[in-house]
Amino acid sequence: MLPATFKLCAGISYRHTRNMTGLRKNAVVAIHHELNRLAGPGPSSWIRQVRRRSSLLSSRIEEEEGYNEEEISYLKQGEDALQKAISILSEQDGWTIETMAANGDKVLSKVLPDVGKVFKLEVMLEQHPDNLYKELVGNMEQMGDWNPNVKQVKILQKIGQDTMVTHEVAAETPGNVVGPRDFVSVRCAKRRGSTCFLAGMSTQHTNMPEQRGVVRAENGPTCIVMKPCPEDPNKTKFTWLLSIDLKGWIPKTIINKVLSQTQVDFANHLRQRMAANVSEEVAHAC
C-alpha cells in the first residue's frame, strides 16, 4: 500500500501558515464552509454525518490549548486533508474505470485541476468498520507485516487524539520498474457516527529528512472512508481516494498501472490480514 496522504496546491509544508495569526479560527471557518457547501441537495448519508459533527470537530481545534505553532500547523493540515478529500469524493461525475476485478473490486480515476489524476478504490469487505479502523489506525505500524507493498510505517509524532505524523517506506515494484519511495505524512483519523475516515497529506518533519538512496515522493489528496453496508452492518463499503506524485522520470502509463494495481492488491492483502485476525481470535477462544 502506498500511504494515504495528500498535498495541497499551496505547498505541502505550509510554512507560510506557521506565522499566521488566528490559524485555528481560519481552519475552523474553512472546514465549516466546505462541509456546508457539500451538504447541498441530496447529500449522501456519510457527508451528512460529517456535517452534523463538524462543529465538534472544529471547536476542538479552536478550544484545545497547549499546542505550539508546529503542532497547530499539523492539525490544520490534517483537517484540510479531510476537507479536500470529502469534496472530491462527493463529486460522482467524471470517473472512468481503470480496473474491474472478478469479485467486484474496482478502481476508477479522474483528472482534477491543480491536483492531477486521482484514483478511487471501491470494494465491499466482509468486516465491520470498527475492526478495519482498529487495524488501519490502531495497528498502523504493523502494516509492513501484512502488506508487501509497504516496508515500514513509523509514527514520528502524535498531536492530540486524531492527528499524527508518520514516515512510510514503500517497496519497489517487481523488476524495480518503480524504485523504493518514502513519504512523510500527516494523518487525520476521524469517526463520525458509524463512518470512519483516515485522511492525510505529505508534510515535512525535522526528525525525518530525505533519505539517501530513496526518492521522497508526495501524496495527495487522499482518504480512506469505511462505511457500514446498509443491508448488512457487519460488512463495510470501503473507499480509498489516492493521488501520488512518485517523482522521477516514470511514464504516465506505468504510473497509472502501478497505482491502480497497488489499490487492488491492498484490498486483497487487507482481506487476508482480517481473515488471519479472525482465525487467531477463534484459536485463542478454543
Side-chain angles (χ1 to χ4, degrees):
M1 169 189 173
L2 293 172
T5 54
F6 103 107
K7 172 186 67 177
L8 292 177
C9 60
I12 64 171
S13 65
Y14 280 83
R15 291 177 179 173
H16 65 288
T17 65
R18 293 180 182 176
N19 295 323
M20 292 174 60
T21 59
L23 182 58
R24 297 180 187 179
K25 182 177 180 180
N26 292 341
V28 170
V29 171
I31 294 167
H32 186 71
H33 174 76
E34 181 67 12
L35 292 176
N36 280 338
R37 186 186 70 81
L38 290 175
S44 63
S45 59
W46 62 271
I47 290 179
R48 289 198 299 268
Q49 290 172 6
V50 173
R51 183 171 181 259
R52 281 198 298 266
R53 301 288 186 89
S54 63
S55 60
L56 295 177
L57 177 153
S58 302
S59 63
R60 189 156 58 245
I61 295 180
E62 188 173 20
E63 294 174 0
E64 283 184 339
E65 299 296 336
Y67 294 125
N68 58 38
E69 289 187 4
E70 181 182 61
E71 291 170 334
I72 293 172
S73 178
Y74 286 138
L75 288 170
K76 182 181 184 298
Q77 291 172 52
E79 301 293 357
D80 282 344
L82 179 60
Q83 169 196 345
K84 294 294 183 180
I86 288 176
S87 179
I88 293 171
L89 289 172
S90 68
E91 298 294 336
Q92 299 300 315
D93 297 332
W95 294 93
T96 59
I97 296 177
E98 291 277 340
T99 303
M100 175 72 79
N103 63 356
D105 293 359
K106 62 182 176 180
V107 176
L108 304 96
S109 68
K110 70 188 303 185
V111 178
L112 300 173
D114 301 322
V115 176
K117 193 166 188 176
V118 298
F119 297 81
K120 179 173 65 169
L121 172 72
E122 294 184 343
V123 303
M124 189 67 68
L125 298 176
E126 303 278 339
Q127 293 286 335
H128 192 279
D130 288 348
N131 297 334
L132 294 167
Y133 186 89
K134 179 181 178 181
E135 183 63 46
L136 296 177
V137 178
N139 300 331
M140 184 180 295
E141 291 188 318
Q142 299 177 21
M143 188 174 295
D145 296 342
W146 55 269
N147 187 351
N149 290 326
V150 173
K151 287 186 175 180
Q152 183 185 50
V153 178
K154 181 180 180 181
I155 298 175
L156 302 176
Q157 183 178 351
K158 288 187 176 182
I159 307 99
Q161 295 182 347
D162 305 322
T163 307
M164 65 191 76
V165 181
T166 63
H167 178 240
E168 310 95 21
V169 181
E172 62 274 10
T173 61
N176 204 32
V177 175
V178 178
R181 260 63 176 169
D182 77 338
F183 306 80
V184 175
S185 314
V186 58
R187 301 185 184 223
C188 175
K190 298 289 184 182
R191 302 185 66 161
R192 294 293 171 257
S194 58
T195 303
C196 306
F197 302 86
L198 178 57
M201 62 180 287
S202 291
T203 191
Q204 296 180 351
H205 197 277
T206 55
N207 292 342
M208 191 54 65
E210 292 190 18
Q211 306 295 294
R212 190 172 184 177
V214 180
V215 177
R216 177 64 52 86
E218 299 173 0
N219 298 266
T222 59
C223 183
I224 288 175
V225 181
M226 294 166 281
K227 177 183 175 183
C229 175
E231 296 77 19
D232 186 347
N234 289 316
K235 295 182 179 180
T236 299
K237 181 181 179 183
F238 187 98
T239 304
W240 176 19
L241 177 71
L242 175 66
S243 174
I244 284 185
D245 182 355
L246 291 174
K247 304 297 185 179
W249 297 96
I250 307 173
K252 289 185 178 180
T253 53
I254 293 179
I255 292 176
N256 293 344
K257 183 177 181 180
V258 167
L259 294 183
S260 59
Q261 188 60 48
T262 294
Q263 289 190 293
V264 172
D265 290 345
F266 171 75
N268 291 330
H269 296 315
L270 181 57
R271 286 189 178 99
Q272 294 171 9
R273 172 66 168 188
M274 300 308 295
N277 289 348
V278 171
S279 298
E280 185 176 345
E281 291 174 1
V282 171
H284 287 165
C286 295

